[in-house]
Amino acid sequence: MERDYPLEKVRNFGIIAHIDAGKTTTSERILYYTGMTHKIGEVHEGETVTDWMEQERERGITITAAAITCFWNKTDVSKSKENFVRFNIIDTPGHIDFTVEVKRSLRVLDGAVVVFDGVAGVEPQSETNWRYADEAQVPRICFINKLDRTGASFERSYKSILDRLNSKAVRMQIPVGLEDEFEGVIDLLKMKMFMFEGEMGSNVIESDIPEKYQAEAKQYHNELVERIVENDEKLMNEYLEGKEIPMEILKKTLRKAVIANEIFPVYAGSALKNKGVQLVLDAVVDYLPAPSDLPPVKGIDPRNGEEVTRGPSDKEPFAALAFKLQADPFVGQLTFFRVYSGSVEAGSYIYNATTGTKERVGRMVRLQADQREEVKKVFAGEIAAMVGLKDTKTSHTLCDEANPIVLEEIKFPEPVISLRIEPKTKADQEKMGMALKKLSDEDPTFRISTDEETMETIISGMGELHLEIIVDRMKREFNVDANVGKPQVAYKETITRESEAEHKYIKQTGGRGQYGHVKIRIKPIDKNVDLEDLPKNVKRKDHHFEFINSIKGGVVPQEFIPPVEKGIIEAMDRGVQAGYKMVDISSELYDGSYHDVDSSEIAFKIAASQAFQEAARKAGPVILEPIMKVEIVTPEQFMGDVTGNLSSKRAQIEGMGERGMLKVVTAKVPLSEMFGYTTSLRSMTEGRASSTMEFDHYDIVPQNVALTIIESRK
Ligand code: GDP
């Protein structure tokens, strides 16, 4: 079976935005123009195609990243089969509690359209998402939306992109009119004006630039051409010699620059008023990369640990990344995957290189706006979903068993908030365990644990809303009713200096005795060392845990080393101050002794655990707390109240600025001070200020606060 779309005619992209910037509306328009839907569901009616989960509809935010396939025929070429391009659009949420979704989709996307609110310009989550996209080196097109709104300004929003995101952004268009009078756009490369007429603005009408815009357009056109030719020395010279550069060459050079993250083109429009979206889609085809434009992906051969690569070609062995598990009401569990090389057929067996197990692929589907298309074979560069996988989770690599490869895992942030959850009835009890497991399989930032003393279930996640939605889904999808406790901050513990301790565990009570003896040294982990550069006897998992075995001459026999490590891990999980998990510690086993008859695994585990606790108490232990980055937008008259209130919350105010008529305050504030903040801000400002918050880093809790925390845990 041959592929139906050449690799060059595939675009895998996502639409990323700060919440409310218009991502859903833009996606809706895209599905309309690409001919997949003919009825536009307005957001407030809860009928959007991409938001197909119940509570997403209610909350009006998109939680899950569904991949949707559609086809686009550019506005400036003839409508024929060979001109169609296949879009696989990955929907990403704007709300910061779900950045995990943004991160995971960025991993499998080749490009992104970043949507901005034309009144607010760059907002906090645009910044966070932009940073993630930088890390993933994803080429981007910017779309300044909502230019029809009162107070909209293309220039101000464009400047906020240049100032706060990247100075390599460049105007591709300017709006014709603004606010109520926003009519269309001027394309600064083609030097034409575009209007959008007919039903849903589906007729794109090209005409000459009106007199009054000509001077401005000419100036920006020159700036744009200069920015493009800068990327090619030969072109630059021709340009400086005054030669006319053909349009095709300019577009080709621009395409290369966008793919290299050297230029971020900026477009203008209003999704709601049906203006500009089609031209953004043309730009996706013209400037965002096809899978074939990308370098081969890197991975590790699990048989020998060596680096291997896979190029974007059907001829290479099959390699794919599972990036999302989603329960589908019609076909069951879907595993969304992106193929990097080779192809996969329905009904075949594949190898999960992450777990080392074989899986049978049942059916495969591609989600379209209103249907699930069954597919027999999925080729390199494509995105689709498998039905029927059993043991594959987010971030696992699927591949050809004879040519195994493990692709780099998607890294997820650690949860910062947790709460106790208790089933309402006996019947709920059994279902709850299963429901929580299913939900945590889907979402790697959602964790389940048990309080060992009370045996209560604790769930942890990225924010209050995140956990609220989990509890909500449990009720709806699994029919489990539960009582939940108050959200608690996920504190951690660590040490601040080096220390050593020795413990001898001996028991002589008739029969066989117990004997375990260890000396260990602990210190804060040096995070500046690259994981690859560590010596052989150092074992490090991320930067939170390190174990060094420097035993010489078998003074502690090899078989007792793993129990020592286990004893340390258990002690770290229990903490030494307030019962919170200890992190970022390097533990070294450097001496000890054993007894021929009495030594056992358990004796060494206990000895190590005791020694670790003793060492940790001497190593300047501290409690760590999550610090949040908070942004508050408020009318000037409430500035004093807002900042005064922040100061009472141990906040560090980092900046004050302006956004249109409003003031913007940014601060770093401990999460423990921020519960219920949205409500108190509302009452403080007559409901006129708004705030956003996201996790920034963990920091040491001040002494007096630490004492209260320790006291409360007794
Ligand atoms: P999302 O949260 O980024 O998905 O944003 P939505 O698409 O849900 O839009 C948020 C709100 O802004 C909704 O009430 C939309 O109707 C409105 N909106 C979206 N695009 C535009 C636009 O171009 N102009 C105006 N005036 N409102 C818009």
Side-chain angles (χ1 to χ4, degrees):
M1 197 182 140
E2 288 300 302
R3 60 183 305 142
D4 46 355
Y5 273 78
L7 253 186
E8 300 71 42
K9 291 202 171 153
V10 174
R11 296 290 179 276
N12 298 316
F13 70 99
I15 302 171
I16 54 185
H18 183 96
I19 190 158
D20 264 2
K23 181 179 48 61
T24 310
T25 312
T26 307
S27 310
E28 290 282 325
R29 295 315 186 257
I30 293 175
L31 293 176
Y32 181 85
Y33 297 128
T34 54
M36 304 310 288
T37 51
H38 300 283
K39 179 173 163 279
I40 295 278
E42 291 302 337
V43 174
H44 56 266
E45 287 171 3
E47 281 193 14
T48 62
V49 180
T50 39
D51 294 9
W52 45 284
M53 281 171 59
E54 285 276 316
Q55 64 280 72
E56 284 180 46
R57 286 181 195 162
E58 282 174 16
R59 288 169 206 269
I61 54 174
T62 313
I63 304 162
T64 46
I68 292 202
T69 301
C70 57
F71 303 90
W72 180 239
N73 193 141
K74 278 179 57 191
T75 51
D76 58 358
V77 294
S78 69
K79 302 267 176 286
S80 65
K81 175 90 173 81
E82 58 277 14
N83 283 332
F84 272 93
V85 176
R86 166 142 65 205
F87 284 169
N88 295 309
I89 306 178
I90 284 107
D91 189 20
T92 59
H95 195 283
I96 207 69
D97 281 0
F98 309 106
T99 44
V100 51
E101 302 285 353
V102 178
K103 273 199 134 173
R104 102 164 84 216
S105 25
L106 281 171
R107 186 52 205 285
V108 293
L109 296 175
D110 302 328
V113 174
V114 187
V115 181
F116 298 89
D117 178 327
V119 179
V122 173
E123 294 174 89
Q125 275 134 56
S126 348
E127 261 175 319
T128 311
N129 291 335
W130 191 272
R131 210 174 59 229
Y132 287 152
D134 278 341
E135 279 168 24
Q137 298 234 326
V138 169
R140 275 149 278 175
I141 283 173
C142 302
F143 177 50
I144 300 180
N145 185 36
K146 300 197 183 185
L147 289 176
D148 62 301
R149 270 186 68 193
T150 310
S153 163
F154 178 80
E155 280 306 310
R156 194 180 61 232
S157 302
Y158 171 64
K159 265 211 82 212
S160 73
I161 295 174
L162 288 176
D163 293 345
R164 291 173 63 183
L165 301 183
N166 201 310
S167 56
K168 291 173 176 167
V170 62
R171 278 186 209 88
M172 294 296 290
Q173 299 176 334
I174 47 171
V176 178
L178 269 181
E179 305 182 333
D180 278 355
E181 273 143 36
F182 177 56
E183 286 179 274
V185 297
I186 288 167
D187 182 319
L188 297 169
L189 196 56
K190 276 193 186 153
M191 290 301 275
K192 290 284 179 193
M193 179 169 76
F194 291 88
M195 297 286 171
F196 306 86
E197 291 172 5
E199 193 190 340
M200 303 303 296
S202 45
N203 300 332
V204 182
I205 312 287
E206 178 183 313
S207 58
D208 288 334
I209 300 175
E211 184 64 42
K212 78 177 229 219
Y213 287 100
Q214 267 179 18
E216 192 187 0
K218 187 85 201 128
Q219 182 201 332
Y220 293 148
H221 171 79
N222 291 340
E223 277 178 30
L224 173 60
V225 172
E226 264 169 46
R227 286 295 312 282
I228 295 172
V229 299
E230 270 171 16
N231 291 279
D232 185 312
E233 209 173 319
K234 194 168 139 262
L235 269 194
M236 183 73 182
N237 288 335
E238 286 177 20
Y239 177 76
L240 290 177
E241 283 159 22
K243 281 197 194 138
E244 183 83 23
I245 317 278
M247 181 62 81
E248 274 321 298
I249 304 282
L250 283 175
K251 284 177 82 167
K252 234 171 97 185
T253 313
L254 176 55
R255 175 176 178 77
K256 263 172 113 174
V258 173
I259 291 172
N261 279 245
E262 288 297 333
I263 289 185
F264 301 95
V266 183
Y267 291 79
S270 160
L272 188 70
K273 295 289 161 70
N274 309 313
K275 293 186 195 336
V277 174
Q278 296 101 317
L279 300 183
V280 174
L281 295 184
D282 285 355
V284 167
V285 177
D286 284 340
Y287 307 122
L288 288 184
S292 49
D293 290 311
L294 300 170
V297 284
K298 287 188 197 146
I300 301 289
D301 183 335
R303 294 170 303 192
N304 52 24
E306 267 160 37
E307 188 177 295
V308 276
T309 60
R310 294 280 183 271
S313 152
D314 299 337
K315 297 205 179 70
E316 298 228 351
F318 172 60
L321 187 76
F323 67 94
K324 171 87 190 166
L325 266 58
Q326 197 165 47
D328 179 272
F330 302 103
V331 294
Q333 176 88 294
L334 292 176
T335 308
F336 284 87
F337 65 102
R338 149 106 198 219
V339 182
Y340 286 92
S341 61
S343 60
V344 59
E345 259 174 286
S348 67
Y349 281 89
I350 49 168
Y351 183 65
N352 179 329
T354 312
T355 59
T357 52
K358 257 175 148 174
E359 288 243 39
R360 197 182 111 90
V361 183
R363 294 153 61 201
M364 293 192 293
V365 291
R366 224 175 244 133
L367 270 67
Q368 301 187 348
D370 49 0
Q371 68 180 66
R372 279 142 187 72
E373 178 206 4
E374 187 98 23
V375 274
K376 290 274 163 270
K377 198 166 178 181
V378 181
F379 296 88
E382 295 280 4
I383 286 174
M386 292 178 183
V387 185
L389 295 193
K390 291 197 177 65
D391 300 315
T392 298
K393 303 225 167 80
T394 298
S395 191
H396 287 182
T397 304
L398 303 171
C399 61
D400 174 20
E401 191 172 10
N403 296 282
I405 179 172
V406 179
L407 301 169
E408 196 194 328
E409 278 192 44
I410 308 174
K411 292 197 185 73
F412 298 112
E414 291 278 314
V416 293
I417 195 167
S418 64
L419 50 82
R420 283 163 200 279
I421 179 162
E422 188 185 45
K424 277 210 172 120
T425 66
K426 196 109 197 120
D428 289 319
Q429 178 123 37
E430 276 163 36
K431 283 188 291 177
M432 188 174 94
M434 196 201 67
L436 289 178
K437 178 166 181 319
K438 260 222 142 89
L439 291 167
S440 77
D441 281 351
E442 273 182 30
D443 177 355
T445 56
F446 170 60
R447 309 269 171 86
I448 322 159
S449 58
T450 311
D451 182 320
E452 281 183 16
E453 271 152 41
T454 62
M455 294 314 283
E456 283 169 301
T457 304
I458 297 168
I459 58 174
S460 322
M462 298 312 297
E464 283 180 277
L465 181 64
H466 186 201
L467 294 182
E468 216 176 280
I469 283 168
I470 297 266
V471 173
D472 200 34
R473 284 188 64 188
M474 220 169 59
K475 197 164 172 181
R476 275 166 206 283
E477 292 171 34
F478 302 91
N479 257 316
V480 181
D481 265 319
N483 293 320
V484 294
K486 269 211 190 118
Q488 306 281 333
V489 175
Y491 292 105
K492 289 183 177 159
E493 298 183 19
T494 192
I495 55 168
T496 53
R497 50 176 190 266
E498 192 176 317
S499 85
E500 291 178 355
E502 169 178 6
H503 193 89
K504 214 180 235 176
Y505 180 71
I506 308 178
K507 261 215 165 103
Q508 225 86 47
T509 45
R512 200 186 130 186
Q514 292 284 2
Y515 184 99
H517 174 208
V518 297
K519 292 184 187 178
I520 64 168
R521 184 179 294 131
I522 63 172
K523 56 174 195 266
I525 278 188
D526 179 1
K527 296 191 184 184
N528 296 320
V529 183
D530 231 24
L531 292 184
E532 282 103 58
D533 298 340
L534 293 169
K536 265 222 155 67
N537 65 335
V538 179
K539 196 165 128 193
R540 187 185 289 187
K541 220 180 71 206
D542 48 55
H543 285 304
H544 298 315
F545 175 81
E546 182 173 278
F547 179 69
I548 309 171
N549 172 16
S550 9
I551 289 298
K552 300 247 159 56
V555 294
V556 174
Q558 185 51 42
E559 68 205 271
F560 298 130
I561 306 287
V564 167
E565 184 184 341
K566 219 163 156 206
I568 292 173
I569 292 176
E570 284 182 15
M572 281 179 69
D573 282 347
R574 280 195 299 268
V576 292
Q577 288 207 291
Y580 293 108
K581 189 183 163 105
M582 302 194 82
V583 292
D584 308 346
I585 300 173
S586 167
S587 303
E588 180 183 7
L589 172 66
Y590 69 93
D591 201 1
S593 66
Y594 72 105
H595 184 277
D596 273 336
V597 182
D598 290 348
S599 276
S600 68
E601 292 192 0
I602 187 84
F604 271 98
K605 202 176 99 179
I606 295 172
S609 180
Q610 295 292 342
F612 177 88
Q613 286 182 45
E614 201 184 314
R617 283 193 201 99
K618 292 189 294 190
V622 287
I623 296 179
L624 299 172
E625 64 178 343
I627 306 292
M628 310 303 278
K629 190 172 115 188
V630 181
E631 187 188 272
I632 299 142
V633 182
T634 174
E636 184 160 16
Q637 71 206 83
F638 302 113
M639 268 295 271
D641 293 336
V642 168
T643 52
N645 175 264
L646 280 178
S647 318
S648 73
K649 293 181 175 299
R650 298 194 278 131
Q652 262 187 348
I653 295 186
E654 306 227 304
M656 294 189 212
E658 274 161 41
R659 185 169 304 154
M661 308 289 288
L662 299 169
K663 297 282 174 206
V664 183
V665 187
T666 50
K668 298 259 167 77
V669 196
L671 173 62
S672 60
E673 305 280 346
M674 291 301 288
F675 288 128
Y677 185 69
T678 333
T679 316
S680 64
L681 180 68
R682 213 178 290 139
S683 60
M684 212 177 344
T685 61
E686 295 162 16
R688 292 177 55 205
S690 63
S691 68
T692 55
M693 170 165 96
E694 67 173 292
F695 170 68
D696 195 76
H697 67 286
Y698 267 94
D699 212 341
I700 297 176
V701 171
Q703 190 75 42
N704 58 332
V705 182
L707 287 176
T708 331
I709 296 172
I710 294 168
E711 200 50 44
S712 75
R713 299 276 288 182
K714 278 195 175 136

